[in-house]
Amino acid sequence: MFAKRQLKNESEFFQTLEGHTIDSLRILKAYIENNSEVLSQFCQRWDLSFELFLKNLFISIYLHDIGKLAKQFQENIQQGKSSQKYPHAYYSFFLLNNVEYNQLVEEVPLEKLAVLGHHTQLYNGIYSTDENFGKPKFSEKEIKNFIKDSIGVYHDMGFEEYFKFDGLQFDENGFNFSSGRARKLLNQTKRNVSKYNKNLNLKSIFTYFFSILQLCDDYSSVNFSKFIENYNGTETLLGPVLDDPNEYLLKLNVKDPLKTVFGDYEPYNFQKDLFEKSPKFSFLFAPCGRGKSEAAISWALSCMEKYDRNKIVFAMPTQVTSNAMWERLCTIFGEGSSKKEKKKNGKKYVGLFHGKSFIKLKSVLIGEKEDLGKKDFDELSGDTFKGNIFFKPITVTTIDHVIYSFVHGFRQADFALGNLQNAIIIFDEVHYYEEKTLNHLFTLFKLLRKFEIPHLLMSGTLPDFIKKDADEYLEVVDFEGIEYMPFSFKFCNKELIKVPKLSDETTETPEVCIDSESIEEIVIQYKKGLNQFIILNTVKRAQEFYKIVKMNLENEIDYPNVILYHSQYTYNDRVKKESTIRDESENDPFVLIATQVIEISLDISCDIMYTEVAPPDAIGQRGGRLNRKGKTFKNRVTHEMKIFLPEKHLPYDENLLKDTQEKIRDGPVSYKEIKEFCDNIYQDRDLKKTNLTKIFRKCTLFGYKPIDIVFGDDKGRMLQIRDDKLQKIDVIPATIYNNNDMNLNVENQVKVPFWWYQNDQNECGEDLEFFEIVSRKLGRKEVFYVICKMDYTYDMGFEYGKKVKDTFEDYCY
């Protein structure tokens, strides 16, 4: 009987059901061998029988594809047809109801539900509209023989080492499938789930059990495809082909965590303190540039051993910070003589996932090749999938993806959450998020504590309101680092720049008002060889200030080293800019003009900083780029943060900015004082409950589909993690599109304010001046893209309201 079909050079190859099942069980056996302590602590955590857990995994994996022994399925697979009319997972669930075994959770058949959901994640409506299903005719003899053979497979594969198994008993009356009976069984199961009051236990046990079943099934299938790619034999019907299951069970082998992370450097006291104590739940408060990440990595490695866990997950604020951390971890855990070689080899152990991780992985794994071959595409897709489910020993992702794992926020959420059950999670820059995101995060942290998932919350300011109701956390502080005074505040009670709004009554561009004294200072300090950062709160002001600074420097110096950096660049351009900034920031002198994207995206340093008023924690983050790693504000120069009034409060809360402005005091400042500054301003702030807990309960086993969670009602999403005060759309600059369909891809997209599009609609109706919709055929699929005809250059990004030229010669690097 067939289970898998694979095409190669127009030839068909098949794997038998027995072969696929044995390959799946080989992965299970290797998983048990490699993770016996992990499995044991998990069972102890939820008061489960260790032996029964392993036994039921064996039974579920052995029978997960038994629904393929329907004659219609066999006919379809032989003909190369894929039909939703005969869903084998549903039929496997039906047949398992006729198999006798002791359930892990007496009231709920988790094992059957893991089988039911192994191709379509469980949700309320799963297989409920079965009028389109065919009535399967089961191959009774083959099913009987397959079930009878389970005892032989058990002994032949050596599973008696782990649990006792006497074979399976099957009620032969169960062969007669009827849609009514199947629906009744499923509905009864749903009712049992809804009545069960320990939803958190149920979620944890089910997702972990399910993730192991899914691992064994998915990667036995992947292995068969790889086997056929390299197969030169003549047989077309094959049995088990998996030789090395450990290929799909990577494990970190770190003998000396401190040596691995710190090399020959002596860790700071706070780093050693965190490592030696290895608390299950912890806050880490240390300034920028003092090695929080190194402390977190060594803590995680220690916790893996202390708490018998097998994965580490870094949850980062943004895609940019995720990319940077991924490269860093690849270098730490990769083998090789050079940094480049280590980074390339480290990807074996370190995964990456976010909305554009495919692009980042492509740039590192494939390089600059424009056209991906099938092998390249399969490699990238496989690595993206592994990041999505937290497959590798270490995964770097965004906090959004971690949260969505708990609530069916994507198709593989249960698989991912199962892998998180035995993970160590690090949340970087936990103070950084706006209020809505923070509220969701702290709801998530409560769930993590109940799940007993070790996690670390890192911050460079750690305001006290974040620590409320967190008695279970051990706080580790860099007492030495927080006393350093690397810079001083100087409040300038004036605006750095004022950009008048364009009037509808005139076509003339109004003059930008700028603080000439500051421009003169910047030029003088540039001539002295100082690195200077100027941070504006909006893209428009940053662009206008950049033009004026560059013009003034060019009047005095040939080819001044000045760069503009903000959020409105294509992905490709942002990567190039970040690389250039890292390189140029090490060369004196250098001027960087940026928006708040600089706060956590780049580990760079300057001598003097000009910034507009921002929330206190943002001021602290910006300060982390001023005399980074410095101990005193007086060095070869006086390191000063000059703080100016913003033209308007946006994108921040107006009262928050006023409060910050009123409480800024001139003079040298330590990180300890910045924390006190934050505490003073945020003293009345409280974290609020969110709907995350309610949605989590709804999605215990069934509940919502990803499309309900992510796209939901008219407001956008049922679970909105970030407060999108300014709605944005993805566009491709016309200068880059250049009427070439090959340029229609996510690498060339830019997020711009949606009001740009709305203004164009209001003024021009259907005949838009600045936007057009184009499409590209990708196989059978038609993908639509928005083209923006405003002028775009690598230097400036988009210039709002400025029409692109007819030729695109000005777009260059």
Side-chain angles (χ1 to χ4, degrees):
M1 288 291 176
F2 304 127
K4 297 290 171 185
R5 174 180 176 271
Q6 186 72 27
L7 279 176
K8 180 183 177 183
N9 300 329
E10 298 184 359
S11 297
E12 292 180 313
F13 297 89
F14 296 91
Q15 186 176 33
T16 63
L17 177 61
E18 179 189 23
H20 171 65
T21 302
I22 289 174
D23 280 349
S24 299
L25 289 171
R26 283 176 177 170
I27 297 176
L28 173 64
K29 190 165 188 286
Y31 184 91
I32 295 170
E33 290 169 353
N34 291 340
N35 295 281
S36 58
E37 294 90 353
V38 175
L39 285 156
S40 178
Q41 66 78 19
F42 181 84
C43 290
Q44 289 175 25
R45 202 193 316 173
W46 300 117
D47 196 24
L48 301 172
S49 164
F50 179 55
E51 185 175 338
L52 184 62
F53 192 88
L54 301 185
K55 179 181 177 180
N56 287 5
L57 274 170
F58 173 86
I59 292 170
S60 299
I61 292 169
Y62 187 82
L63 297 176
H64 78 281
D65 272 352
I66 197 171
K68 290 181 177 180
L69 293 177
K71 292 181 180 179
Q72 294 92 333
F73 181 90
Q74 291 297 311
E75 289 169 3
N76 283 336
I77 194 172
Q78 290 178 65
Q79 295 170 23
K81 293 180 181 178
S82 177
S83 174
Q84 299 299 318
K85 197 172 182 180
Y86 299 97
H88 72 269
Y90 188 33
Y91 300 151
S92 295
F93 167 78
F94 175 82
L95 291 170
L96 256 71
N97 277 282
N98 301 285
V99 176
E100 295 181 14
Y101 67 95
N102 293 323
Q103 295 176 178
L104 271 171
V105 178
E106 188 175 340
E107 298 91 333
V108 180
L110 293 175
E111 298 83 355
K112 297 171 193 172
L113 292 176
V115 171
L116 179 70
H118 82 273
H119 276 284
T120 304
Q121 184 169 256
L122 298 181
Y123 66 96
N124 283 338
I126 188 170
Y127 301 123
S128 61
T129 55
D130 57 7
E131 62 273 7
N132 294 321
F133 297 160
K135 183 176 181 180
K137 188 172 182 181
F138 293 117
S139 301
E140 297 182 18
K141 182 180 177 182
E142 283 76 9
I143 290 175
K144 289 177 186 177
N145 288 337
F146 188 77
I147 289 174
K148 183 180 177 182
D149 290 343
S150 62
I151 189 68
V153 171
Y154 162 77
H155 287 297
D156 291 344
M157 296 188 70
F159 277 102
E160 63 260 51
E161 180 182 349
Y162 306 111
F163 55 86
K164 186 179 178 181
F165 177 67
D166 298 321
L168 295 169
Q169 300 298 318
F170 184 78
D171 180 359
E172 295 189 12
N173 293 323
F175 286 123
N176 186 22
F177 180 91
S178 76
S179 58
R181 184 179 170 212
R183 188 164 56 247
K184 184 177 179 181
L185 287 167
L186 182 53
N187 288 338
Q188 183 58 54
T189 303
K190 289 180 183 178
R191 284 193 290 273
N192 291 345
V193 169
S194 65
K195 291 175 185 175
Y196 194 77
N197 59 5
K198 295 181 180 178
N199 65 296
L200 193 128
N201 303 44
L202 203 58
K203 185 79 167 177
S204 180
I205 298 165
F206 171 77
T207 55
Y208 184 44
F209 189 96
F210 174 78
S211 71
I212 299 173
L213 184 153
Q214 195 80 52
L215 168 76
C216 298
D217 178 39
D218 281 3
Y219 285 97
S220 61
S221 299
V222 167
N223 185 76
F224 181 65
S225 298
K226 285 174 61 178
F227 178 85
I228 295 302
E229 279 180 23
N230 302 309
Y231 180 62
N232 295 313
T234 57
E235 290 185 47
T236 57
L237 180 61
L238 300 153
V241 296
L242 178 61
D243 291 327
D244 182 18
N246 288 306
E247 180 183 351
Y248 306 107
L249 298 165
L250 292 175
K251 194 171 184 178
L252 279 179
N253 293 309
V254 179
K255 295 178 181 177
D256 187 343
L258 291 180
K259 182 74 174 175
T260 299
V261 177
F262 295 99
D264 296 328
Y265 291 98
E266 178 69 16
Y268 294 133
N269 289 334
F270 82 92
Q271 293 169 329
K272 286 190 283 189
D273 191 31
L274 183 65
F275 175 77
E276 289 166 2
K277 291 177 179 176
S278 298
K280 186 175 282 187
F281 313 126
S282 183
F283 285 114
L284 172 58
F285 170 36
C288 296
R290 285 284 291 175
K292 288 195 297 294
S293 296
E294 287 79 3
I297 297 165
S298 59
W299 165 83
L301 292 171
S302 177
C303 286
M304 286 179 84
E305 184 175 352
K306 183 175 180 179
Y307 302 112
D308 293 317
R309 309 303 162 104
N310 59 6
K311 296 185 187 298
I312 298 172
V313 173
F314 264 84
M316 308 296 290
T318 65
Q319 294 179 2
V320 174
T321 51
S322 298
N323 290 345
M325 181 57 70
W326 179 69
E327 289 192 8
R328 192 171 182 179
L329 291 169
C330 284
T331 303
I332 291 174
F333 292 99
E335 298 171 351
S337 55
S338 68
K339 187 175 181 180
K340 185 176 181 181
E341 192 177 0
K342 285 180 179 179
K343 187 188 295 184
K344 187 174 181 181
N345 293 332
K347 71 178 181 61
K348 176 180 178 181
Y349 299 102
V350 187
L352 175 70
F353 188 82
H354 55 68
K356 289 187 170 65
S357 55
F358 186 93
I359 306 170
K360 180 63 180 177
L361 292 168
K362 174 180 176 290
S363 69
V364 174
L365 305 184
I366 308 300
E368 297 299 321
K369 277 198 284 185
E370 289 295 327
D371 296 323
L372 297 180
K374 183 180 182 303
K375 189 174 180 181
D376 294 332
F377 185 82
D378 288 347
E379 181 184 4
L380 286 171
S381 297
D383 250 48
T384 302
F385 178 77
K386 288 174 182 176
N388 186 31
I389 62 168
F390 310 117
F391 172 88
K392 294 186 180 183
I394 304 174
T395 301
V396 184
T397 188
T398 57
I399 56 103
D400 310 61
H401 191 62
V402 174
I403 292 173
Y404 282 134
S405 300
F406 283 75
V407 290
H408 288 176
F410 52 96
R411 285 183 59 197
Q412 299 290 345
D414 280 344
F415 196 173
L417 184 57
N419 285 328
L420 285 179
Q421 294 307 308
N422 292 295
I424 310 290
I425 309 181
I426 298 162
F427 293 90
D428 197 11
E429 305 293 4
V430 75
H431 64 276
Y432 175 78
Y433 304 95
E434 47 81 26
E435 189 170 356
K436 175 176 278 191
T437 309
L438 261 181
N439 290 335
H440 281 312
L441 271 177
F442 277 81
T443 303
L444 173 68
F445 298 154
K446 288 179 182 178
L447 289 174
L448 291 178
R449 294 197 296 275
K450 291 177 181 177
F451 274 120
E452 289 290 313
I453 296 175
H455 56 282
L456 173 69
L457 315 180
M458 299 197 296
S459 173
T461 56
L462 198 62
D464 281 345
F465 79 89
I466 284 179
K467 298 187 290 179
K468 289 180 182 178
D469 303 320
D471 296 336
E472 296 171 72
Y473 291 82
L474 177 70
E475 185 176 349
V476 174
V477 180
D478 176 14
F479 290 106
E480 180 184 9
I482 64 173
E483 297 291 348
Y484 292 163
M485 292 186 171
F487 54 85
S488 63
F489 284 157
K490 182 181 179 182
F491 179 62
C492 305
N493 194 18
K494 57 183 176 178
E495 293 170 351
L496 191 57
I497 183 172
K498 189 177 182 67
V499 182
K501 188 176 180 181
L502 287 170
S503 172
D504 296 332
E505 299 174 1
T506 178
T507 56
E508 294 182 9
T509 303
E511 189 175 342
V512 172
C513 300
I514 198 157
D515 181 49
S516 57
E517 185 181 343
S518 295
I519 294 294
E520 290 172 9
E521 281 181 5
I522 290 166
V523 173
I524 291 168
Q525 286 158 180
Y526 187 93
K527 290 179 178 179
K528 290 180 180 178
L530 300 183
N531 283 357
Q532 303 170 83
F533 293 172
I534 299 101
I535 306 175
L536 290 304
N537 290 348
T538 68
V539 173
K540 182 64 177 174
R541 290 206 293 278
Q543 288 175 322
E544 295 299 330
F545 200 83
Y546 168 75
K547 289 178 188 176
I548 294 169
V549 169
K550 189 177 181 184
M551 180 185 68
N552 278 268
L553 284 172
E554 285 176 341
N555 289 339
E556 304 273 341
I557 300 144
D558 291 334
Y559 308 111
N561 195 0
V562 54
I563 295 178
L564 174 67
Y565 178 65
H566 53 71
S567 60
Q568 289 174 15
Y569 292 106
T570 68
Y571 181 88
N572 283 338
D573 286 354
R574 282 190 72 170
V575 169
K576 289 185 174 77
K577 279 202 175 261
E578 287 159 16
S579 177
T580 301
I581 290 167
R582 278 192 291 267
D583 293 341
E584 296 298 337
S585 64
E586 297 177 4
N587 302 318
D588 302 337
F590 170 63
V591 177
L592 173 64
I593 296 158
T595 58
Q596 57 267 35
V597 294
I598 194 180
E599 291 173 9
I600 57 172
S601 59
L602 295 165
D603 291 337
I604 52 177
S605 183
C606 65
D607 299 308
I608 305 288
M609 180 176 288
Y610 297 77
T611 177
E612 293 182 314
V613 173
D617 42 339
I619 292 286
Q621 282 295 120
R622 295 176 188 190
R625 275 78 191 145
L626 173 54
N627 192 22
R628 191 173 178 83
K629 300 184 181 181
K631 296 183 180 181
T632 175
F633 70 99
K634 286 190 175 180
N635 198 346
R636 62 190 177 100
V637 297
T638 298
H639 300 286
E640 196 168 55
M641 180 189 288
K642 300 184 178 186
I643 304 172
F644 291 78
L645 297 174
E647 183 182 349
K648 294 179 181 177
H649 67 274
L650 296 175
Y652 302 112
D653 177 80
E654 186 172 8
N655 291 327
L656 178 59
L657 284 201
K658 283 183 179 177
D659 201 10
T660 304
Q661 176 185 319
E662 289 170 1
K663 292 177 180 175
I664 290 173
R665 296 290 178 266
D666 287 356
V669 61
S670 69
Y671 288 108
K672 182 179 178 182
E673 289 170 322
I674 290 176
K675 176 191 167 3
E676 291 167 353
F677 180 39
C678 291
D679 289 337
N680 191 319
I681 290 173
Y682 289 131
Q683 60 183 322
D684 297 324
R685 185 171 176 181
D686 284 309
L687 295 166
K688 301 178 181 68
K689 291 182 179 179
T690 73
N691 62 343
L692 178 61
T693 303
K694 182 179 178 181
I695 296 172
F696 169 79
R697 289 196 187 110
K698 286 276 189 182
C699 294
T700 299
L701 293 190
F702 291 95
Y704 304 111
K705 291 190 295 185
I707 195 169
D708 301 324
I709 301 292
V710 180
F711 298 107
D713 56 24
D714 293 337
K715 294 181 181 177
R717 289 169 286 191
M718 183 179 292
L719 180 66
Q720 192 172 3
I721 294 174
R722 299 183 189 251
D723 191 3
D724 298 327
K725 294 175 182 175
L726 187 64
Q727 191 178 354
K728 295 183 179 181
I729 57 170
D730 287 311
V731 303
I732 293 177
T735 47
I736 295 177
Y737 168 47
N738 205 8
N739 295 317
N740 183 347
D741 284 358
M742 293 300 293
N743 295 325
L744 296 174
N745 53 55
V746 292
E747 290 101 319
N748 290 327
Q749 286 182 330
V750 184
K751 284 193 180 297
V752 300
F754 184 55
W755 62 261
W756 287 11
Y757 187 88
Q758 289 176 314
N759 278 7
D760 204 15
Q761 274 189 323
N762 293 338
E763 292 176 13
C764 303
E766 293 182 5
D767 189 18
L768 298 178
E769 179 182 5
F770 291 111
F771 295 91
E772 70 171 315
I773 310 296
V774 299
S775 66
R776 179 184 179 185
K777 281 276 189 181
L778 294 173
R780 297 179 181 178
K781 192 176 178 183
E782 187 174 18
V783 182
F784 292 88
Y785 297 88
V786 180
I787 305 301
C788 182
K789 299 176 186 177
M790 292 183 198
D791 195 26
Y792 176 94
T793 61
Y794 173 77
D795 201 25
M796 294 287 294
F798 277 116
E799 292 194 69
Y800 176 70
K802 184 178 178 182
K803 191 74 178 282
V804 69
K805 297 178 182 178
D806 292 333
T807 60
F808 304 140
E809 295 171 359
D810 286 352
Y811 180 77
C812 61
Y813 294 100

